[in-house]
Amino acid sequence: MTKKELIFLGPPACGKGTQTNRLAEFLKFPHVDTGSLLRAEIKNETEAGKEAKAYIDKGQLVPVELVTRIIKNRLSQDDCKNGYILDGFPRSVEQAEQLEKMNAEIDNGIDTKFIAVYFDIDTSILVERIVNRRSCPVCGEIYNLEFKPPKVAGHCDNDGAELTQRKDDTREVAQSRFDTYNKETAPLVDYYTKKGVLKSIDANGTIDEVWNRLLEVIK
Ligand code: AMP
């Protein structure tokens, strides 16, 4: 069986989280979301969390060594052996090179298929999306107060937990996250195009429209 390695690129709040949550359930692959892993480190007050917090609060990338260590640990686990969905990593060319290195080590010659999915979207709507975003701290479901509100205000549809707002989902930090994305992450579109593994999808539209386009490219 070929192991499927799926990574996702796109600006902050382009819908990657919503779609990759759904895709993980659909394909029965683990959803490895770097932002969530880092937020868990912060919550647990680990050394890594303490170091990462200062960068996250400013909308900057946390140091490559730190994030690479966390991702390598996660991708080495047994549940990733048939495939994984990697959301939020790599976020720079340096991280992409690190990913290739760790994949080669972990995969050790087995048959793999690597796809980089790029969410191509009109960025003018994204800051509003960010400030309206809420998420469930228990199951990770993502809501939008305007476009995808929970059935009961302030509570998750799946488990009733009180929804939270990410600390970096403010107008000010969002701007800095876009600047970081444009400088560090956007060059990966070219990087993966040249390698012949990039699949671009139109990420404008409803959640179901984008979902159907996503299913077409990950076959
Ligand atoms: P996200 O949840 O993907 O929006 O990520 C939230 C924040 O976590 C980012 O703004 C970065 O500060 C940090 N972060 C997430 N993924 C990475 C990564 N691959 N490299 C460095 N920093 C990251």
Side-chain angles (χ1 to χ4, degrees), residues 18-179:
T18 300
Q19 299 292 341
T20 49
N21 269 337
R22 189 166 171 179
L23 190 62
E25 215 166 280
F26 181 75
L27 293 176
K28 307 272 179 267
F29 289 165
H31 177 216
V32 180
D33 166 11
T34 329
S36 298
L37 289 174
L38 291 168
R39 285 187 286 278
E41 298 280 341
I42 294 175
K43 199 167 166 212
N44 296 332
E45 297 181 357
T46 64
E47 282 309 309
K50 282 180 203 152
E51 192 185 344
K53 186 174 184 312
Y55 296 91
I56 293 181
D57 286 352
K58 282 190 256 171
Q60 297 168 354
L61 295 188
V62 307
V64 62
E65 299 77 16
L66 193 161
V67 73
T68 302
R69 184 162 25 92
I70 292 176
I71 292 297
K72 189 172 179 197
N73 261 334
R74 185 65 191 86
L75 297 186
S76 305
Q77 286 170 25
D78 205 46
D79 62 343
C80 292
K81 72 175 189 301
N82 293 331
Y84 59 71
I85 289 165
L86 189 49
D87 174 6
F89 186 94
R91 252 174 155 105
S92 66
V93 169
E94 192 183 6
Q95 292 185 10
E97 289 165 354
Q98 290 295 328
L99 178 63
E100 273 152 44
K101 242 168 74 187
M102 70 176 93
N103 275 340
E105 274 176 45
I106 296 168
D107 296 339
N108 198 16
I110 64 165
D111 203 19
T112 61
K113 181 163 184 182
F114 182 95
I115 301 175
V117 181
Y118 170 51
F119 280 48
D120 192 3
I121 192 163
D122 171 8
T123 53
S124 65
I125 58 159
L126 296 183
V127 172
E128 288 314 307
R129 211 187 244 190
I130 285 179
V131 294
N132 281 315
R133 177 159 66 180
R134 299 290 183 276
S135 58
C136 174
V138 177
C139 71
E141 186 76 32
I142 301 164
Y143 296 88
N144 181 286
L145 298 184
E146 217 171 303
F147 304 109
K148 191 194 164 194
K151 293 194 183 96
V152 177
H155 292 271
C156 179
D157 294 350
N158 300 333
D159 49 41
E162 197 166 334
L163 300 180
T164 54
Q165 182 173 27
R166 276 170 48 173
K167 223 177 141 227
D168 59 346
D169 273 353
T170 60
R171 240 169 250 282
E172 198 190 13
V173 183
Q175 194 47 57
S176 151
R177 285 159 60 204
F178 280 108
D179 294 344

